[in-house]
Amino acid sequence: PVNSIVVGGEVITEATFTGATAVNVIVGDSGSTNRYLGTTDKVTAGRTALVPTGYVNTGGLDLRLTITPTVADVTAGKITVRIQFIIRNRICQNLV
């Protein structure tokens, strides 16, 4: 949302990917595709923290998740992405 700041988050591979030799994940927004996480291989189970930058989203930029398997198509696997953010100058905000 407008005036939001990403303050944390993570990308978790919950089920190891099969079929591809790598599953590269990038997290950013429509202004910078890798603002919160540069290219990271998430083919195996594990957690990778996002890197908050302090960037204030004044233009309502959409978050962007890019997933690129290499060598072959993915046949199985599961990733969960969590993004924690605050909105400046708001006491209470409910997003639906």
Side-chain angles (χ1 to χ4, degrees), residues 64-88:
R64 179 173 289 168
L65 172 66
T66 305
I67 300 175
T68 309
T70 60
V71 179
D73 291 334
V74 171
T75 55
K78 180 180 178 182
I79 285 181
T80 297
V81 178
R82 291 188 181 100
I83 298 176
Q84 301 165 339
F85 65 93
I86 60 171
I87 299 176
R88 292 186 331 167

Short mmCIF file of all heavy atoms in Angstrom, two decimals, residues 64-88:
data_model
loop_
_atom_site.label_atom_id
_atom_site.label_comp_id
_atom_site.label_asym_id
_atom_site.label_seq_id
_atom_site.Cartn_x
_atom_site.Cartn_y
_atom_site.Cartn_z
N ARG A 64 6.54 -7.84 -6.14
CA ARG A 64 6.80 -8.73 -7.27
C ARG A 64 7.65 -9.90 -6.80
O ARG A 64 8.69 -9.72 -6.19
CB ARG A 64 7.53 -7.97 -8.36
CG ARG A 64 7.87 -8.82 -9.57
CD ARG A 64 8.42 -7.98 -10.68
NE ARG A 64 7.33 -7.18 -11.22
CZ ARG A 64 7.50 -6.18 -12.04
NH1 ARG A 64 8.71 -5.82 -12.41
NH2 ARG A 64 6.47 -5.51 -12.51
N LEU A 65 7.17 -11.11 -7.09
CA LEU A 65 7.89 -12.35 -6.78
C LEU A 65 8.23 -13.01 -8.11
O LEU A 65 7.34 -13.28 -8.92
CB LEU A 65 7.02 -13.28 -5.94
CG LEU A 65 7.55 -14.68 -5.68
CD1 LEU A 65 8.80 -14.63 -4.82
CD2 LEU A 65 6.49 -15.53 -5.02
N THR A 66 9.52 -13.27 -8.34
CA THR A 66 9.95 -13.92 -9.56
C THR A 66 10.55 -15.27 -9.21
O THR A 66 11.44 -15.34 -8.37
CB THR A 66 11.00 -13.06 -10.30
OG1 THR A 66 10.49 -11.75 -10.51
CG2 THR A 66 11.39 -13.69 -11.63
N ILE A 67 10.04 -16.33 -9.82
CA ILE A 67 10.55 -17.68 -9.60
C ILE A 67 10.99 -18.23 -10.94
O ILE A 67 10.20 -18.30 -11.88
CB ILE A 67 9.49 -18.59 -8.96
CG1 ILE A 67 9.05 -18.00 -7.62
CG2 ILE A 67 10.02 -20.01 -8.80
CD1 ILE A 67 7.92 -18.74 -6.96
N THR A 68 12.27 -18.63 -11.03
CA THR A 68 12.82 -19.12 -12.28
C THR A 68 13.54 -20.45 -12.06
O THR A 68 14.62 -20.48 -11.49
CB THR A 68 13.82 -18.10 -12.87
OG1 THR A 68 13.21 -16.82 -12.91
CG2 THR A 68 14.27 -18.51 -14.25
N PRO A 69 12.95 -21.57 -12.50
CA PRO A 69 13.65 -22.85 -12.43
C PRO A 69 14.69 -22.93 -13.55
O PRO A 69 14.53 -22.30 -14.59
CB PRO A 69 12.55 -23.88 -12.63
CG PRO A 69 11.47 -23.16 -13.36
CD PRO A 69 11.59 -21.71 -13.00
N THR A 70 15.77 -23.68 -13.31
CA THR A 70 16.80 -23.83 -14.34
C THR A 70 16.89 -25.29 -14.79
O THR A 70 16.58 -26.20 -14.04
CB THR A 70 18.18 -23.37 -13.84
OG1 THR A 70 18.54 -24.15 -12.70
CG2 THR A 70 18.17 -21.91 -13.47
N VAL A 71 17.33 -25.48 -15.99
CA VAL A 71 17.59 -26.76 -16.66
C VAL A 71 16.31 -27.49 -17.03
O VAL A 71 16.16 -27.95 -18.14
CB VAL A 71 18.55 -27.67 -15.85
CG1 VAL A 71 18.76 -28.99 -16.57
CG2 VAL A 71 19.87 -26.98 -15.61
N ALA A 72 15.35 -27.63 -16.12
CA ALA A 72 14.13 -28.38 -16.42
C ALA A 72 12.96 -27.75 -15.67
O ALA A 72 13.14 -26.89 -14.80
CB ALA A 72 14.30 -29.83 -15.99
N ASP A 73 11.77 -28.18 -15.99
CA ASP A 73 10.58 -27.72 -15.29
C ASP A 73 10.49 -28.36 -13.91
O ASP A 73 10.91 -29.50 -13.71
CB ASP A 73 9.31 -28.06 -16.07
CG ASP A 73 9.20 -27.27 -17.36
OD1 ASP A 73 9.76 -26.16 -17.42
OD2 ASP A 73 8.56 -27.75 -18.30
N VAL A 74 9.93 -27.63 -12.98
CA VAL A 74 9.71 -28.15 -11.62
C VAL A 74 8.53 -29.12 -11.66
O VAL A 74 7.50 -28.84 -12.26
CB VAL A 74 9.42 -26.99 -10.65
CG1 VAL A 74 8.98 -27.51 -9.30
CG2 VAL A 74 10.64 -26.10 -10.52
N THR A 75 8.70 -30.26 -11.00
CA THR A 75 7.61 -31.24 -10.97
C THR A 75 6.96 -31.32 -9.59
O THR A 75 5.86 -31.83 -9.46
CB THR A 75 8.11 -32.63 -11.36
OG1 THR A 75 9.21 -33.00 -10.51
CG2 THR A 75 8.58 -32.64 -12.81
N ALA A 76 7.63 -30.82 -8.56
CA ALA A 76 7.06 -30.80 -7.20
C ALA A 76 7.84 -29.80 -6.36
O ALA A 76 8.98 -29.48 -6.67
CB ALA A 76 7.12 -32.18 -6.57
N GLY A 77 7.22 -29.34 -5.28
CA GLY A 77 7.88 -28.41 -4.36
C GLY A 77 6.90 -27.37 -3.86
O GLY A 77 5.82 -27.20 -4.41
N LYS A 78 7.29 -26.68 -2.78
CA LYS A 78 6.40 -25.68 -2.19
C LYS A 78 7.22 -24.57 -1.54
O LYS A 78 8.11 -24.83 -0.75
CB LYS A 78 5.51 -26.34 -1.14
CG LYS A 78 4.55 -25.39 -0.46
CD LYS A 78 3.70 -26.10 0.56
CE LYS A 78 2.77 -25.15 1.27
NZ LYS A 78 1.98 -25.83 2.31
N ILE A 79 6.86 -23.33 -1.88
CA ILE A 79 7.48 -22.14 -1.28
C ILE A 79 6.39 -21.31 -0.62
O ILE A 79 5.31 -21.13 -1.18
CB ILE A 79 8.20 -21.28 -2.34
CG1 ILE A 79 9.52 -21.93 -2.75
CG2 ILE A 79 8.48 -19.88 -1.81
CD1 ILE A 79 10.29 -21.13 -3.77
N THR A 80 6.69 -20.79 0.56
CA THR A 80 5.83 -19.82 1.23
C THR A 80 6.60 -18.51 1.35
O THR A 80 7.77 -18.52 1.73
CB THR A 80 5.42 -20.32 2.63
OG1 THR A 80 4.67 -21.53 2.48
CG2 THR A 80 4.58 -19.29 3.37
N VAL A 81 5.93 -17.40 1.03
CA VAL A 81 6.55 -16.08 1.15
C VAL A 81 5.74 -15.28 2.16
O VAL A 81 4.52 -15.19 2.06
CB VAL A 81 6.57 -15.34 -0.20
CG1 VAL A 81 7.17 -13.95 -0.05
CG2 VAL A 81 7.32 -16.15 -1.25
N ARG A 82 6.43 -14.73 3.16
CA ARG A 82 5.79 -13.87 4.16
C ARG A 82 6.45 -12.50 4.08
O ARG A 82 7.67 -12.40 4.09
CB ARG A 82 5.97 -14.44 5.56
CG ARG A 82 5.22 -15.71 5.80
CD ARG A 82 5.28 -16.11 7.28
NE ARG A 82 4.57 -17.35 7.46
CZ ARG A 82 5.15 -18.55 7.54
NH1 ARG A 82 6.45 -18.65 7.46
NH2 ARG A 82 4.42 -19.63 7.70
N ILE A 83 5.61 -11.46 4.04
CA ILE A 83 6.13 -10.10 4.00
C ILE A 83 5.47 -9.31 5.13
O ILE A 83 4.25 -9.27 5.23
CB ILE A 83 5.85 -9.44 2.64
CG1 ILE A 83 6.58 -10.24 1.55
CG2 ILE A 83 6.28 -7.98 2.65
CD1 ILE A 83 6.34 -9.78 0.16
N GLN A 84 6.30 -8.72 5.97
CA GLN A 84 5.82 -7.90 7.08
C GLN A 84 6.08 -6.44 6.74
O GLN A 84 7.17 -6.08 6.31
CB GLN A 84 6.55 -8.28 8.36
CG GLN A 84 6.36 -9.73 8.73
CD GLN A 84 7.35 -10.18 9.78
OE1 GLN A 84 8.40 -9.58 9.96
NE2 GLN A 84 7.02 -11.25 10.46
N PHE A 85 5.05 -5.61 6.93
CA PHE A 85 5.21 -4.21 6.61
C PHE A 85 4.43 -3.34 7.59
O PHE A 85 3.53 -3.81 8.29
CB PHE A 85 4.77 -3.91 5.17
CG PHE A 85 3.31 -4.13 4.92
CD1 PHE A 85 2.41 -3.09 5.03
CD2 PHE A 85 2.83 -5.38 4.56
CE1 PHE A 85 1.05 -3.28 4.80
CE2 PHE A 85 1.49 -5.59 4.32
CZ PHE A 85 0.59 -4.54 4.44
N ILE A 86 4.80 -2.07 7.62
CA ILE A 86 4.05 -1.07 8.38
C ILE A 86 3.59 0.00 7.39
O ILE A 86 4.11 0.09 6.28
CB ILE A 86 4.90 -0.43 9.50
CG1 ILE A 86 6.13 0.27 8.90
CG2 ILE A 86 5.30 -1.47 10.52
CD1 ILE A 86 6.91 1.11 9.90
N ILE A 87 2.61 0.78 7.80
CA ILE A 87 2.15 1.91 7.00
C ILE A 87 2.36 3.17 7.82
O ILE A 87 1.85 3.29 8.93
CB ILE A 87 0.67 1.76 6.59
CG1 ILE A 87 0.51 0.49 5.74
CG2 ILE A 87 0.20 2.99 5.82
CD1 ILE A 87 -0.92 0.19 5.36
N ARG A 88 3.14 4.08 7.28
CA ARG A 88 3.44 5.33 7.99
C ARG A 88 2.17 6.13 8.23
O ARG A 88 1.25 6.14 7.41
CB ARG A 88 4.42 6.20 7.19
CG ARG A 88 5.78 5.62 7.08
CD ARG A 88 6.77 6.52 6.43
NE ARG A 88 6.21 7.44 5.45
CZ ARG A 88 6.87 8.46 4.96
NH1 ARG A 88 8.10 8.71 5.33
NH2 ARG A 88 6.31 9.25 4.07
#
